[in-house]
Amino acid sequence: DIQMTQSPFSLFASVGDRVTITCRSSQTISRHLNWYQQKVGKAPEVLIFGASRLQTGVPSRFSGSGSGTEFTLTITSLQPEDFATYYCQQHYSTPITFGQGTRLEIK
Amino acid sequence: EVQLVESGGGLVNPGESLRLSCAASGFALSDHNMVWVRQAPGKGLAWVSSITSSSDYIFYGDSVKGRFTISRDNAKNSVFLQMNSLGAEDTGLYYCVRVDYYDTTGLYFAYWGQGILVTVSS
């Protein structure tokens, strides 16, 4: 199974900050990497697919990059609604696996 | 509007069974692969099982293989998860999810239900 490791586990930031979350895979996954946002009490929603493609309707302050084994999710100019938990997911091979999540909290 | 509505969850004793249902609307279920994802209380996301649009291919995570069975009825716009020999480790919120493809091999979990709670406890 491909292990996905996110860092940091949690992150404190302020409105207007720029933050970056990293996701590393235990083996190469090309660009088969998606990012999801989950707010408390809600189902996850896809933000980025294919490592860098923005889902329709997602604000442009979200961006993704990377390939191979290292990927990043960047949020520029944090907004209050961005405080949530973020998960990366690889779909290069079955079983599909997720990172453990990164909790983004208000400083 | 795409909607996925799970039902069938609840509290069961260890060793018992449950059957989850997912009612799909707002799209042609027969055009999409579907998956179940679960989330233990306070924990992260875990893929459980996948089924292709015509039920040709089915996959399970190691933790549920041999105990869970995924199925679908496209005519009734429904997806199911039969869960047998449940244990405490199966406790969590179960999501029904529609899979979309952005190219021939690239997929993402595009639409999620609200989730249904399964609690296994004596």
Side-chain angles (χ1 to χ4, degrees), chain A residues 64-86:
Chain A
S65 65
S67 66
T69 62
E70 187 157 335
F71 302 85
T72 60
L73 172 70
T74 300
I75 314 170
T76 58
S77 189
L78 274 172
Q79 298 301 300
E81 61 267 28
D82 300 337
F83 292 94
T85 300
Y86 293 84

Side-chain angles (χ1 to χ4, degrees), chain A residues 18-83:
Chain A
R18 172 191 173 103
V19 299
T20 297
I21 298 169
T22 298
C23 177
R24 292 184 173 88
S25 55
S26 60
Q27 60 191 76
T28 184
I29 57 171
S30 184
R31 293 176 62 80
H32 290 74
L33 189 285
N34 304 327
W35 290 98
Y36 299 84
Q37 177 194 66
Q38 186 177 32
K39 297 181 179 178
V40 173
K42 300 292 186 182
E45 295 183 350
V46 63
L47 298 172
I48 303 280
F49 56 86
S52 61
R53 305 187 200 195
L54 198 65
Q55 170 68 329
T56 302
V58 174
S60 59
R61 63 181 179 273
F62 291 90
S63 64
S65 65
S67 66
T69 62
E70 187 157 335
F71 302 85
T72 60
L73 172 70
T74 300
I75 314 170
T76 58
S77 189
L78 274 172
Q79 298 301 300
E81 61 267 28
D82 300 337
F83 292 94

